Amino acid sequence: MKLDEAKNKYIQTWGSLATSWGINKTMAQVHALLLVSTKPLSAEDIMDALQISRGNVNMNVRALIDWGIVRKEFVVGERKEFFVADKDIWELFKQITKERKKREIEPVLKVLEDLQKVDDDSDEAKDFKKVLGDLSKVTTTVNTILDKAIKADEHWLLSNFTKMVKK
Amino acid sequence: MKLDEAKNKYIQTWGSLATSWGINKTMAQVHALLLVSTKPLSAEDIMDALQISRGNVNMNVRALIDWGIVRKEFVVGERKEFFVADKDIWELFKQITKERKKREIEPVLKVLEDLQKVDDDSDEAKDFKKVLGDLSKVTTTVNTILDKAIKADEHWLLSNFTKMVKK
DNA sequence: CTAAACTTTCAATAATTATTGAAATATAAA
DNA sequence: TTTATATTTCAATAATTATTGAAAGTTTAG
């Protein structure tokens, strides 16, 4: 397989995975493109490579910067902005996790907690609270793991998980 | 807060979370409804409660059954089918994880592996392979954890993760 | 300042994904 | 059987989400 072909396939694969995880396809493709590129790319480079509009590039690149997984880079003698993706996949994992945790897990925990305040002590209410409690427990556990993973140093995930799995 | 109000809010919250995780909103709502219901529900009960069409109920209930998190139940003296969700949230977590792993993570690992076969030994190709390698490493690790979690007994996740986090 | 180079915004439009509902199919009671 | 009841399918349609592209906004050089 040729290198360009492989890069292309990678960009497509990553894009389709992203879709099923609720991430915009183009955002994932832009990220993948930057990840496999050896040099910083301009908005036009991205437009060309992925055949998408200027506005779309702008929106998605900004989202990636928001997520902290892409940054601007300046090239000497050039006026326009260039973008690069951090090549450290661990950092990527951490940032994405952090983002989702904040946007999705924490608000749900908040709601689950609120819902415990049902002022009713029928058996049905008790059953409901039991389900909520279980749900909170699993969600909290997952949240704690993610928290720890985010705060941990680069090798925490690999070393601890490996140890744990071998057990 | 009244019990019904709480149940309703829970169903809505779960539905909106699902959306951002690439799961169909209605599917999540149907599941939530069955989860908080004390008795088995018929297709009509679900149609009524969520104000959705018969076809929609059928599609989503079937998907939930496919995922192994909802099952049919027969009620004496009734001809129609009734549905119940397993109240065990750990089981739910396991099933969902298993499903996603099979449908999404494994195919990606396969592609990443394939892409390593680039017949080029330029520096650029080496960099690309390095990125792919890192990506595979993180993906494999996550996959292994999930595998272990799926196979483990009910308390594995909580006990091990807690131990690990305390470390 | 003014003009050129570049970036951002956002209403219009396209693409995708979910939902409906009625017809077709299946199943069970009479 | 036949009839009534229940389930499934799927083309049409609605709802949602992503993308375009041109106009407005910014920034920098001269």
Side-chain angles (χ1 to χ4, degrees):
Chain A
M1 201 189 308
K2 290 301 298 167
L3 182 58
D4 282 356
E5 190 191 334
K7 285 189 174 179
N8 224 53
K9 193 158 185 193
Y10 165 68
I11 291 167
Q12 301 309 319
T13 306
W14 212 239
S16 81
L17 177 69
T19 302
S20 61
W21 281 91
I23 295 163
N24 169 311
K25 184 184 72 185
T26 306
M27 184 169 155
Q29 289 185 341
V30 171
H31 181 258
L33 177 65
L34 291 171
L35 202 59
V36 298
S37 164
T38 41
K39 55 182 200 318
L41 301 181
S42 70
E44 299 210 331
D45 293 336
I46 299 172
M47 286 168 66
D48 273 13
L50 303 179
Q51 294 291 308
I52 57 178
S53 75
R54 182 173 295 285
N56 202 6
V57 169
N58 188 272
M59 300 275 246
N60 285 295
V61 165
R62 263 193 313 114
L64 288 167
I65 291 174
D66 259 19
W67 278 41
I69 59 181
V70 159
R71 58 199 158 71
K72 290 185 183 179
E73 186 140 299
F74 297 97
V75 172
V76 289
E78 288 274 15
R79 228 171 104 180
K80 57 186 155 200
E81 298 175 329
F82 288 79
F83 307 96
V84 291
D86 207 327
K87 297 291 185 292
D88 183 342
I89 310 294
W90 165 250
E91 194 60 34
L92 167 68
F93 177 85
K94 258 172 43 179
Q95 289 295 338
I96 291 178
T97 303
K98 197 169 173 179
E99 199 62 32
R100 300 210 81 131
K101 200 176 94 64
K102 193 175 74 219
R103 295 193 187 177
E104 295 154 13
I105 299 182
E106 284 167 9
V108 167
L109 276 177
K110 181 94 187 49
V111 172
L112 290 180
E113 200 178 297
D114 269 14
L115 293 182
Q116 290 277 1
K117 294 177 196 145
V118 172
D119 50 8
D120 184 331
D121 60 353
S122 62
D123 279 356
E124 204 188 344
K126 275 180 196 144
D127 284 350
F128 177 62
K129 284 183 187 173
K130 169 79 167 56
V131 169
L132 284 184
D134 286 353
L135 223 42
S136 296
K137 200 157 65 191
V138 172
T139 314
T140 304
T141 305
V142 172
N143 201 39
T144 310
I145 310 302
L146 297 182
D147 236 358
K148 191 77 183 181
I150 289 163
K151 290 196 192 105
D153 70 325
E154 184 155 356
H155 298 300
W156 183 85
L157 182 76
L158 281 170
S159 66
N160 276 274
F161 273 3
T162 306
K163 195 182 301 164
M164 190 180 71
V165 167
K166 276 186 187 150
K167 188 191 137 71
Chain B
M1 198 188 313
K2 291 299 300 165
L3 182 58
D4 281 358
E5 191 192 333
K7 284 189 175 180
N8 224 53
K9 193 157 184 195
Y10 164 68
I11 291 167
Q12 300 311 318
T13 306
W14 211 240
S16 81
L17 177 70
T19 302
S20 62
W21 280 91
I23 295 163
N24 169 311
K25 185 184 72 185
T26 307
M27 185 170 154
Q29 289 185 340
V30 171
H31 182 257
L33 177 65
L34 292 171
L35 202 58
V36 298
S37 165
T38 41
K39 56 184 202 316
L41 302 180
S42 71
E44 299 210 331
D45 293 336
I46 299 172
M47 286 168 67
D48 272 12
L50 303 179
Q51 294 291 308
I52 58 177
S53 74
R54 182 174 294 285
N56 202 6
V57 168
N58 188 272
M59 299 276 246
N60 285 295
V61 166
R62 262 192 316 114
L64 288 167
I65 291 174
D66 258 19
W67 278 42
I69 59 181
V70 159
R71 58 199 159 70
K72 290 184 182 179
E73 188 141 298
F74 296 97
V75 172
V76 289
E78 287 275 13
R79 230 173 102 177
K80 55 186 154 199
E81 298 176 328
F82 288 79
F83 306 97
V84 291
D86 206 328
K87 296 289 184 291
D88 183 342
I89 311 292
W90 165 249
E91 194 60 34
L92 166 69
F93 177 85
K94 257 170 46 178
Q95 289 295 338
I96 291 179
T97 303
K98 197 170 172 176
E99 200 60 33
R100 299 210 81 133
K101 201 175 94 66
K102 192 175 73 217
R103 295 192 188 180
E104 295 155 11
I105 298 182
E106 284 168 9
V108 167
L109 276 178
K110 181 92 186 50
V111 173
L112 290 180
E113 200 177 298
D114 269 13
L115 293 182
Q116 291 277 2
K117 294 177 196 146
V118 172
D119 52 7
D120 185 331
D121 60 353
S122 61
D123 279 357
E124 205 189 341
K126 276 180 196 144
D127 284 351
F128 176 62
K129 284 183 187 172
K130 170 79 167 55
V131 169
L132 284 183
D134 287 353
L135 225 42
S136 296
K137 201 156 65 191
V138 172
T139 313
T140 304
T141 305
V142 172
N143 200 40
T144 311
I145 310 304
L146 296 181
D147 236 358
K148 191 78 182 181
I150 290 163
K151 291 196 191 104
D153 71 324
E154 185 155 357
H155 298 298
W156 182 85
L157 182 76
L158 280 172
S159 65
N160 277 273
F161 273 2
T162 305
K163 196 182 301 165
M164 189 180 69
V165 167
K166 275 186 189 150
K167 187 190 140 72

